[in-house]
Amino acid sequence: MTLKTNPSDIQKAETDKRVFRLVTLSNKLQALLVSDPETDKAAAAMDVHVGHLSDPSEAPGLAHFCEHLLFMGNEKYPLENDYSQFLSTHGGSSNAFTSADHTNYYFDVKADFLEGALDRFTQFFVSPLFDASCTEREMKAVDSEHSKNIQQDSWRIYQLQKDLTSKEHPYSKFGTGNLKTLKDYPESLGIDVRRLLLDFHNRLYSANIMKLVVIGKESLDQLQQWVVEKASAIKNKDIDPPSWPGHPMTKDDLLKQIFVKPVKDLRSLKLTFPLPDLTEFYLCKPASYASHLIGHESEGSILALLKQKGWANDLSAGASSGAINFEFFTISIGLTEEGSKHWEEIVVVVFQYIAMLREAGVKDWIYEECQTLSEVQFRFQEKRSPASFASRVAGDIHYYSPEHVLSGPSVMFKMNKKEIQSVLDALNVENFRITLLSPDFKSSEWQKANHYQTEFQYEAISQSLKRELHAIRPNTALHLPLKNEFIPGNLTVKRTHLSAQRRPDLVFDSNIVRLWHKKDDTFWVPKAKVMFILKSPLAYATPSTCVITRLFTDCLDDVLNQFSYYASVAGLDYHLTNSTEGIELTLSGYNDKLQHLLQRILTTAKHLKIDRKRFVAVKEALGRSYKNWAQEQPYQHAAFFASYVTQEKLWTSEEKLEVLDDISAEDVEAFYPQLLARLNVEGFVFGNVEASEAVALAKALQEELRCKSLPAALHNQVVRTHIFPNGKHLIHQRQVANVNQLNSALEHLIQIGDVSNADLRTKTLLFAQIAKEPCFDVLRTKEQLGYIVASGIRKQTGMISFRILIQSEKGPAFLESRAEQFLLSLRDTVADMSDKDFQKNIDTVAFNLTEKDKNMSQEAHRIWNHISNRYYDFEEEENDAKKVITISRGQLLHFYDEYISPNSRTRRVLSIHLASAKATSEGTSGQNVSDVAHISDSLDELIPRVLVDSTGVAELKASMQLSRSPVPVVPLSAFRTGVSKI
């Protein structure tokens, strides 16, 4: 028996053509069915209203462990990789996460294969095996996941703030789990963790607290039939979602301060206020009113005043869900070094602003402005990817009435001044806790937290601060924002009748600016995406010019912020970034006032005046980001150094940090006019914009910058790729910079050939598809090398490569040996797979290449990638899809033997070895040179190994050839349509 809701009852975006039905099965499982006849990708998600707050005290992390094990086979599909293999060979993927009171599982797959994927997925919840043979392996996977997070400040601080709440409340639990909490501790108590796990699942995984979302191309009736058939067998225990009375932050936790010494060079101040659960007030969203004003960045805001004083660089504010019965409201401020010395004064400023809000009262016009923007945003909401949509909505169904399952999370439906005032009243001087991060703390005698060893000090706030807070006086520098002039007034969608096309037209081509344009013919929203690359060889000529260019864009952002924040609130954003070619400027959002924002950015850039006090703060923040790069994850470093060795020019953070101190505001002001004096600009305008309007943007840019053209020889200059010598295995060794990092990393990169060679490109894509699932299954699931294991392709100018990336507590040479052994096994994988499976992989590659863009952003970036790489091969994906279906097994084996196989005499390999100073035991120590040189002896590798340390990279790069510069696949004249030329 199922209960239905009328599809028209569910509010949806104006452009959303999908139809919806909410059903409740006989076992009380609620499911949202989404029929989308146009989709080429199906998806499903299950959200279980149980999370780590329900962990038994004997086994912290059990809910997360349960999440891992549900993937590992069930009675109907006992093979532990059956689900992942099915998805991988049908263009799909999957993931899951565990939070405080939710566990969320989701997948996507080619639309034709939804039923098979859904059958495997629902069996997670019907008859999981929890096979004893994989229990300890997955414990290690959980432990590896925790190990990945140990040196991450966000995880350390999150757990510390939980630790310092009431021990009577389960919020204080450690949710990730590790070997100590899932194996050693339970065993010491004589507890069988597998039995504990079975009991946990049997008690708490109940159909009546699960929400399912299924998206497919089939009709609602067909989707309903499948869901009834496959999900009705999930047992209903008729339980309530686990909940706990009271708030984890009790009176004993208030008016306290936590001083924390971070891993990175971070300085921040956070004020945390306990709030009741506000879910029932979602029609008003009272916390959104407070967060809109406290988090505002215009003149009169908290941040504007703190920036003026040189004390802060950023601020965010808002409510964050805890679990049933409790929430938090947090105000987080990124401090400067000077601001760290004045943190108590900053706390006073925050409460001065909150007092001003209370005194002003709840303003109708402010709420109405927020309400209008929320309605417009929902009205023209674009599709997310099916898996992302399913995962998000499955969690939302728990909280919103049926008609609001889509609109409930974002739309402010009606104002309730009493509810808003109650939130403002909760933000008072008796109801908060402070967390202060600074690397300057002397922490030698501080406490160390459990699980992450975070150094901290916990104490009551000072009496002097209490006195100041109880004697708050008005601050005339603080006031409400102005009415937002960027709220779009013209939301007309220009439904020009065009035949759909995948490529843009070249509509403007001067000696300075080349502009591409494509009118949106698919999504029909009043939005646009505009990208420009302002190319100049000066921008990345040396580490100094690279850093000065970055300081210029950062200072420009800083000056524009009070103005541009209004645009951002109104759904129109811009982004400035530096690249090896120059400066990239992106604008995205409602097209109505986009030209106004662009004009302001260009005018300010051309006539930038740098405030000296703000320059100190901007420069300090940039230096901190360079310094903090050393503390990023080893796998990120391995990927970077693969680029560093292969790329013609790439400056390291150390090189940039070395020159930063000597750069002054005067240097930036003297340099940027030279930078902007000679440019070559390429751009792309996409969306609800006609060609004539796009041309107007190009002309405005050209007229505002008033620059001269670069010499023609520099117009298409790009950073090329070094080509490894045939028959060489290069090994670049480095130590992990963070001495407390347990993990090492490997990037194993095999160069194939010119990325513009369609034959090599499609064979690499097919090989990567076949290798993907076995790589994860063998190296992560079975061999348990580490939580991060991935394989795939790497595209660079003039080169396509195959890569394996691993982060592990084992050492890089050992990881390389396992990667090589895995690569050796892939020949049999290709040779022995059935014709049917070989064809499935071909079909998946062809599908991935031609998969529909799900929103404007995806389409814009796909096209921009073809423009910015200078090949202008807008039909690459379609042509590759046609070509890949012609590849035979014999051709792929020949490709493997020549380019991939460890037994090839001609393959070109680079192994990046990032070795942890803390690694120990089996294969985990940093091997010496002779160890590395002979690591592949057992594989009979036939090519010599060349060891390169950090001092030898420049010499190595000088000895290698460079790839060809990109050449357009067809003359650009083929793309000109009514092109304007100046």
Side-chain angles (χ1 to χ4, degrees):
M1 182 68 182
T2 61
L3 306 174
K4 304 180 186 179
T5 65
N6 189 315
S8 63
D9 290 345
I10 296 175
Q11 292 181 3
K12 63 180 184 177
E14 184 176 293
T15 55
D16 196 340
K17 298 176 184 176
R18 298 172 295 185
V19 289
F20 300 84
R21 179 185 293 168
L22 195 62
V23 301
T24 303
L25 307 189
S26 57
N27 59 359
K28 296 186 180 180
L29 183 146
Q30 205 169 27
L32 179 69
L33 313 175
V34 186
S35 174
D36 183 359
E38 296 180 356
T39 193
D40 55 359
K41 208 150 205 184
M46 182 78 85
D47 190 277
V48 188
H49 210 330
V50 172
H52 69 249
L53 268 62
S54 298
D55 287 345
S57 58
E58 304 91 339
L62 194 73
H64 183 211
F65 183 43
C66 179
E67 171 220 305
H68 273 242
L69 278 174
L70 283 190
F71 285 80
M72 308 301 288
N74 50 71
E75 289 179 11
K76 187 171 182 180
Y77 301 102
L79 293 177
E80 64 182 44
N81 70 328
D82 182 277
Y83 172 67
S84 60
Q85 189 173 51
F86 182 88
L87 293 178
S88 179
T89 54
H90 295 105
S93 61
S94 67
N95 212 333
F97 63 84
T98 303
S99 65
D101 63 344
H102 289 269
T103 308
N104 189 287
Y105 305 82
Y106 56 95
F107 73 84
D108 63 11
V109 71
K110 286 166 64 176
D112 289 339
F113 298 93
L114 172 60
E115 185 184 10
L118 187 62
D119 195 47
R120 287 162 173 80
F121 182 66
T122 51
Q123 290 299 313
F124 281 20
F125 312 99
V126 174
S127 59
L129 288 177
F130 296 127
D131 196 307
S133 66
C134 58
T135 299
E136 189 162 339
R137 271 195 284 119
E138 280 309 301
M139 279 185 190
K140 290 178 179 177
V142 171
D143 188 70
S144 179
E145 185 174 351
H146 171 61
S147 172
K148 169 183 71 72
N149 300 332
I150 287 175
Q151 290 294 301
Q152 300 297 299
D153 284 305
S154 57
W155 285 93
R156 294 162 70 89
I157 294 157
Y158 171 65
Q159 185 60 46
L160 178 62
Q161 290 176 326
K162 282 158 55 72
D163 289 344
L164 298 175
T165 57
S166 170
K167 298 302 179 190
E168 303 300 313
H169 197 286
Y171 184 73
S172 61
K173 291 179 178 178
F174 169 51
T176 306
N178 58 22
L179 277 175
K180 289 180 181 177
T181 66
L182 292 171
K183 186 174 187 296
D184 299 345
Y185 182 58
E187 285 180 356
S188 73
L189 300 175
I191 293 172
D192 182 336
V193 173
R194 184 169 178 273
R195 289 187 179 278
L196 205 61
L197 182 68
L198 290 167
D199 175 68
F200 177 89
H201 185 271
N202 289 336
R203 284 188 302 106
L204 297 174
Y205 268 56
S206 175
N208 73 302
I209 62 167
M210 295 180 182
K211 307 296 180 184
L212 175 66
V213 174
V214 180
I215 305 170
K217 66 178 183 178
E218 293 77 12
S219 68
L220 290 175
D221 289 342
Q222 179 64 78
L223 294 174
Q224 181 172 314
Q225 180 184 331
W226 286 346
V227 166
V228 170
E229 288 173 356
K230 300 173 194 310
S232 294
I234 300 172
K235 291 179 182 176
N236 174 28
K237 288 102 178 182
D238 255 333
I239 62 173
D240 292 325
S243 63
W244 298 267
H247 201 288
M249 276 184 70
T250 66
K251 189 174 181 181
D252 293 339
D253 305 309
L254 301 175
L255 299 179
K256 296 286 179 68
Q257 55 196 30
I258 313 169
F259 294 158
V260 184
K261 188 161 188 177
V263 173
K264 290 184 176 179
D265 185 352
L266 300 177
R267 289 175 171 80
S268 69
L269 171 69
K270 178 186 281 189
L271 279 67
T272 303
F273 301 82
L275 289 180
D277 189 345
L278 299 174
T279 306
E280 63 179 298
F281 307 119
Y282 78 83
L283 292 176
C284 172
K285 296 184 175 55
S288 295
Y289 181 92
S291 62
H292 168 70
L293 294 172
I294 295 170
H296 218 281
E297 299 180 13
S298 63
E299 183 185 353
S301 66
I302 297 170
L303 182 60
L305 177 57
L306 297 182
K307 279 188 166 186
Q308 183 184 328
K309 291 177 176 289
W311 291 352
N313 286 319
D314 56 78
L315 182 151
S316 62
S320 57
S321 61
I324 294 175
N325 292 330
F326 68 95
E327 287 185 23
F328 304 94
F329 191 96
T330 58
I331 302 171
S332 300
I333 304 169
L335 302 177
T336 63
E337 194 169 335
E338 187 65 22
S340 295
K341 302 170 186 174
H342 296 273
W343 66 269
E344 288 193 336
E345 294 166 71
I346 294 172
V347 172
V348 172
V349 169
V350 169
F351 280 104
Q352 285 176 330
Y353 191 89
I354 294 170
M356 182 272 293
L357 293 183
R358 283 203 207 92
E359 182 67 25
V362 179
K363 299 292 186 184
D364 289 4
W365 73 267
I366 293 177
Y367 187 90
E368 288 165 4
E369 195 174 86
C370 293
Q371 184 178 32
T372 297
L373 289 170
S374 74
E375 289 169 349
V376 169
Q377 185 226 349
F378 180 71
R379 179 183 167 194
F380 297 109
Q381 189 176 73
E382 293 183 73
K383 287 182 181 178
R384 293 195 294 270
S385 71
S388 172
F389 174 88
S391 173
R392 170 71 183 270
V393 176
D396 290 340
I397 297 173
H398 292 284
Y399 299 110
Y400 301 102
S401 60
E403 68 269 28
H404 293 148
V405 293
L406 303 181
S407 58
S410 58
V411 174
M412 299 170 75
F413 295 93
K414 60 182 181 181
M415 180 167 70
N416 186 314
K417 289 190 176 183
K418 183 179 178 181
E419 292 170 7
I420 295 170
Q421 194 62 53
S422 70
V423 171
L424 292 175
D425 289 344
L427 309 182
N428 68 70
V429 298
E430 296 289 340
N431 191 47
F432 75 103
R433 182 168 74 179
I434 292 167
T435 305
L436 185 68
L437 270 71
S438 173
D440 300 329
F441 290 134
K442 307 301 180 188
S443 58
S444 57
E445 297 181 6
W446 283 12
Q447 298 179 66
K448 285 192 175 182
N450 198 8
H451 308 302
Y452 292 89
Q453 300 300 298
T454 310
E455 297 175 285
F456 73 99
Q457 182 172 302
Y458 191 45
E459 61 191 23
I461 67 172
S462 68
Q463 290 300 317
S464 61
L465 179 56
K466 283 184 184 179
R467 285 192 296 270
E468 280 201 68
L469 293 178
H470 282 282
I472 286 288
R473 294 188 178 90
N475 188 327
T476 57
L478 301 171
H479 58 78
L480 296 173
L482 302 174
K483 290 191 175 182
N484 194 337
E485 295 181 1
F486 273 99
I487 293 176
N490 183 357
L491 292 167
T492 303
V493 176
K494 298 162 183 158
R495 288 185 171 269
T496 311
H497 293 289
L498 299 170
S499 56
Q501 62 181 55
R502 285 179 67 85
R503 67 168 182 82
D505 295 319
L506 183 56
V507 295
F508 185 86
D509 196 6
S510 72
N511 63 342
I512 296 172
V513 180
R514 177 189 292 155
L515 185 76
W516 301 80
H517 167 261
K518 183 177 183 293
K519 173 73 176 66
D520 172 37
D521 52 28
T522 305
F523 305 106
W524 307 117
V525 290
K527 298 178 182 179
K529 193 99 173 178
V530 177
M531 291 104 145
F532 288 110
I533 171 75
L534 282 62
K535 291 182 278 187
S536 168
L538 291 179
Y540 207 77
T542 67
S544 291
T545 62
C546 169
V547 173
I548 295 174
T549 303
R550 173 63 186 272
L551 284 168
F552 166 62
T553 57
D554 285 359
C555 288
L556 179 57
D557 272 333
D558 195 66
V559 169
L560 286 167
N561 188 61
Q562 288 189 24
F563 168 82
S564 65
Y565 187 78
Y566 282 105
S568 180
V569 168
L572 178 58
D573 290 294
Y574 84 94
H575 190 52
L576 278 168
T577 55
N578 298 79
S579 73
T580 55
E581 294 181 52
I583 297 172
E584 296 185 22
L585 170 62
T586 302
L587 296 93
S588 58
Y590 300 110
N591 58 277
D592 182 33
K593 297 178 181 177
L594 187 147
Q595 183 162 354
H596 178 44
L597 178 60
L598 175 62
Q599 199 84 37
R600 182 65 174 265
I601 294 168
L602 296 173
T603 302
T604 308
K606 189 70 175 176
H607 306 286
L608 181 66
K609 298 295 181 187
I610 299 174
D611 179 273
R612 294 322 192 240
K613 185 181 286 187
R614 287 303 306 151
F615 181 76
V616 171
V618 168
K619 179 178 173 179
E620 178 195 314
L622 180 58
R624 206 180 299 163
S625 71
Y626 290 154
K627 182 179 177 182
N628 285 336
W629 169 246
Q631 308 303 320
E632 296 295 349
Q633 299 253 26
Y635 80 91
Q636 293 171 290
H637 286 184
F640 172 83
F641 284 112
S643 297
Y644 181 66
V645 173
T646 56
Q647 201 166 294
E648 184 178 10
K649 186 186 289 185
L650 187 63
W651 308 123
T652 67
S653 291
E654 291 86 349
E655 288 169 327
K656 290 183 278 192
L657 189 61
E658 187 179 344
V659 301
L660 178 64
D661 280 350
D662 295 331
I663 298 172
S664 66
E666 290 77 12
D667 293 329
V668 178
E669 288 180 336
F671 176 77
Y672 84 78
Q674 300 174 49
L675 179 71
L676 300 180
R678 285 189 177 274
L679 295 170
N680 176 243
V681 180
E682 188 141 28
F684 173 46
V685 177
F686 172 63
N688 192 44
V689 180
E690 300 290 358
S692 59
E693 296 170 304
V695 170
L697 291 176
K699 289 180 177 178
L701 182 143
Q702 185 165 285
E703 289 165 11
E704 192 63 50
L705 291 178
R706 295 189 180 278
C707 58
K708 295 181 179 179
S709 175
L710 286 176
L714 297 178
H715 282 200
N716 291 314
Q717 191 175 63
V718 296
V719 173
R720 294 172 294 172
T721 306
H722 287 286
I723 302 173
F724 309 150
N726 282 340
K728 290 285 178 65
H729 186 156
L730 308 174
I731 300 153
H732 180 48
Q733 297 174 301
R734 284 182 178 259
Q735 286 291 120
V736 172
N738 182 350
V739 296
N740 294 312
Q741 175 61 256
L742 293 170
N743 288 285
S744 298
L746 167 80
E747 168 134 351
H748 200 53
L749 186 72
I750 302 173
Q751 284 191 339
I752 306 299
D754 193 333
V755 71
S756 66
N757 182 321
D759 183 65
L760 288 179
R761 189 171 64 234
T762 50
K763 287 173 181 172
T764 306
L765 288 169
L766 179 56
F767 176 78
Q769 161 62 27
I770 291 172
K772 182 179 177 182
E773 194 280 330
C775 178
F776 189 87
D777 182 53
V778 172
L779 300 181
R780 184 183 186 272
T781 304
K782 291 187 170 66
E783 296 193 15
Q784 287 292 310
L785 295 183
Y787 182 73
I788 294 173
V789 174
S791 65
I793 65 167
R794 177 192 272 258
K795 284 185 175 181
Q796 296 172 282
T797 299
M799 183 58 65
I800 188 168
S801 305
F802 176 77
R803 68 197 288 230
I804 293 177
L805 183 66
I806 307 172
Q807 180 168 294
S808 172
E809 291 186 41
K810 295 178 169 59
F814 179 77
L815 299 178
E816 188 204 307
S817 72
R818 301 316 304 151
E820 287 281 81
Q821 190 67 54
F822 168 71
L823 288 172
L824 199 64
S825 73
L826 282 176
R827 193 182 203 288
D828 288 342
T829 301
V830 175
D832 295 344
M833 70 169 48
S834 67
D835 290 343
K836 184 178 179 181
D837 285 342
F838 188 75
Q839 187 61 46
K840 282 179 184 177
N841 281 288
I842 286 176
D843 292 344
T844 294
V845 174
F847 169 79
N848 290 339
L849 286 165
T850 57
E851 183 181 348
K852 292 178 183 178
D853 299 310
K854 302 302 184 286
N855 49 55
M856 275 185 59
S857 184
Q858 283 186 8
E859 182 170 358
H861 284 104
R862 173 178 58 78
I863 293 173
W864 180 243
N865 284 339
H866 289 305
I867 294 170
S868 60
N869 69 20
R870 308 290 184 272
Y871 290 103
Y872 306 100
D873 192 358
F874 301 111
E875 297 177 358
E876 177 185 308
E877 293 89 356
E878 288 182 337
N879 290 335
D880 283 0
K882 293 173 184 175
K883 189 167 186 62
V884 76
I885 64 176
T886 68
I887 299 173
S888 69
R889 189 198 307 263
Q891 289 172 329
L892 191 65
L893 286 170
H894 180 75
F895 167 86
Y896 167 88
D897 290 339
E898 181 175 357
Y899 293 103
I900 304 292
S901 172
N903 294 325
S904 168
R905 293 181 180 275
T906 57
R907 74 171 184 158
R908 301 172 297 195
V909 189
L910 169 67
S911 296
I912 304 293
H913 287 199
L914 265 291
S916 165
K918 282 204 160 191
T920 57
S921 76
E922 179 209 6
T924 62
S925 59
Q927 288 85 353
N928 61 38
V929 170
S930 61
D931 289 335
V932 176
H934 295 94
I935 198 68
S936 294
D937 277 359
S938 61
L939 298 174
D940 298 321
E941 187 179 24
L942 301 178
I943 60 176
R945 301 166 69 79
V946 179
L947 307 175
V948 183
D949 63 16
S950 58
T951 64
V953 174
E955 183 179 343
L956 172 68
K957 291 171 77 166
S959 71
M960 291 191 289
Q961 291 183 343
L962 285 165
S963 65
R964 290 194 312 156
S965 292
V967 177
V969 291
V970 296
L972 295 189
S973 58
F975 302 108
R976 290 193 172 99
T977 304
V979 65
S980 296
K981 193 159 185 173
I982 293 179

